[in-house]
């Protein structure tokens, strides 16, 4: 059985603050990905053979347990653009508690930590967090607080984070409600969330839910970046989400 890939859906529109890709990009060779973003190179280790990983999960039945497809083994274009955005907004995150949703191999968590943020990075897959820890060592970055957590049942203090971010996390409609609940619970008053998305049609459902829950969504940045696996060159948009303080 072949390893499934998340397919790009739709096309992102232009946004204020848009930028060319410049030196942003990544190359994938076997078990290693070299990413270029936030002003430096990042070496990321991943599962050496994605087909073998998928086959092993399929045989064990894990791949079909809550649809646990190992998307974390890929470095998605949204993560590259989000990492660059974090560098542009360094003053907003330095010294402040920040949450990385669905950290995967750890790129955006490592960039945030390197820039001076105090990052808690969560993922649903323990294996992914193991790679993320090793990637921190490889890149000489102090370890973020890596946390195994399901965003449907988050164990987070209310209003704990000044900034929350996630790259390409909204790829299924079933994630809309739990992600919104998490943001409403964990984001500090006056805080903001940054969501990077490559033009998936499912994001429209997320935007409608944001409006219904009195969130403001503003396009603040966009860039076209080649996918490390050669699957295209999507335009990734960064959305800044804020919500008025409730009495």
């Amino acid at each position: 059985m072949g390893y499934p890939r998340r397919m790009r859906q739709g096309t992102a529109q232009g946004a204020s603050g848009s930028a060319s890709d410049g030196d942003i990009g990544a190359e994938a060779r076997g078990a290693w990905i070299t990413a270029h973003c936030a002003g430096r190179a990042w070496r990321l280790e991943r599962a050496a053979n994605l087909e073998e990983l998928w086959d092993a999960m399929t045989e064990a039945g894990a791949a079909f347990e809550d649809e646990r497809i190992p998307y974390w083994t890929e470095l998605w274009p949204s993560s590259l653009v989000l990492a660059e955005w974090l560098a542009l907004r360094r003053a907003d995150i330095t010294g402040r508690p920040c949450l990385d949703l669905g950290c995967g191999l750890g790129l955006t968590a490592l960039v945030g930590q390197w820039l001076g943020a105090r990052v808690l990075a969560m993922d649903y897959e323990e294996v992914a967090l193991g790679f993320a820890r090793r990637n921190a060592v490889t890149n000489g970055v102090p370890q973020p607080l890596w946390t195994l957590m399901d965003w449907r049942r988050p164990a987070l203090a209310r209003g704990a984070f000044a900034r929350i971010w996630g790259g390409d996390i909204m790829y299924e409609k079933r994630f809309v409600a739990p992600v919104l609940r998490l943001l409403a619970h964990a984001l500090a008053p006056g805080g903001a969330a940054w969501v990077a998305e490559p033009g998936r049609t499912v994001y429209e459902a997320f935007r409608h839910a944001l409006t219904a829950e009195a969130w403001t969504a503003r396009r603040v940045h966009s860039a076209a970046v080649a996918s490390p696996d050669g699957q295209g060159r999507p335009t990734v948009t960064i959305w800044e989400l804020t919500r008025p303080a409730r009495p």
Side-chain angles (χ1 to χ4, degrees), residues 21-33:
D21 54 356
D23 293 327
I24 308 171
E27 305 86 40
R29 292 189 178 182
W32 291 91
I33 300 172

Side-chain angles (χ1 to χ4, degrees), residues 3-8 26 33 70-82 102 105 107-108 167-168 171 198 200 225-229 231 234 236:
Y3 172 72
R5 294 185 181 274
R6 260 183 348 212
M7 299 304 294
R8 179 169 177 261
I33 300 172
Y71 292 132
W72 58 266
T73 59
E74 302 278 9
L75 180 65
W76 301 94
S78 291
S79 294
L80 293 167
V81 178
L82 180 56
L105 297 173
L107 177 63
T108 53
D168 205 358
Y171 53 90
R200 297 184 188 280
V225 180
S227 176
D229 61 7
Q231 295 297 306
V236 176

Side-chain angles (χ1 to χ4, degrees), residues 32-182:
W32 291 91
I33 300 172
T34 301
H36 304 276
C37 56
R40 58 167 283 186
W42 302 83
R43 289 270 289 164
L44 304 174
E45 184 185 3
R46 62 174 178 173
N49 189 307
L50 305 187
E51 292 286 351
E52 287 182 3
L53 173 65
W54 175 248
D55 289 343
M57 291 180 66
T58 302
E59 290 174 8
F64 304 105
E65 178 188 341
D66 197 25
E67 300 182 33
R68 301 183 82 146
I69 299 172
Y71 292 132
W72 58 266
T73 59
E74 302 278 9
L75 180 65
W76 301 94
S78 291
S79 294
L80 293 167
V81 178
L82 180 56
E84 193 71 11
W85 174 250
L86 295 180
L88 292 173
R89 306 303 298 177
R90 182 172 190 167
D92 289 348
I93 65 175
T94 299
R96 306 180 79 182
C98 299
L99 174 65
D100 188 312
L101 290 178
C103 63
L105 297 173
L107 177 63
T108 53
L110 295 179
V111 170
Q113 191 83 353
W114 179 66
L115 292 170
R118 294 185 285 117
V119 179
L120 186 152
M122 58 179 282
D123 202 280
Y124 191 36
E125 295 293 343
E126 189 170 8
V127 178
L129 295 174
F131 280 102
R133 289 188 189 96
R134 292 200 291 276
N135 289 333
V137 174
T138 298
N139 290 279
V141 175
Q143 295 283 354
L145 179 58
W146 306 107
T147 305
L148 183 67
M149 195 179 301
D150 184 344
W151 58 32
R152 294 169 298 186
R153 292 178 288 276
L156 301 167
R158 180 177 296 277
F161 300 98
R163 295 290 184 272
I164 299 175
W165 61 70
D168 205 358
I169 58 174
M170 201 54 55
Y171 53 90
E172 292 188 31
K173 286 185 178 180
R174 66 191 177 107
F175 297 152
V176 170
V179 168
L180 268 182
R181 285 195 297 269
L182 185 151

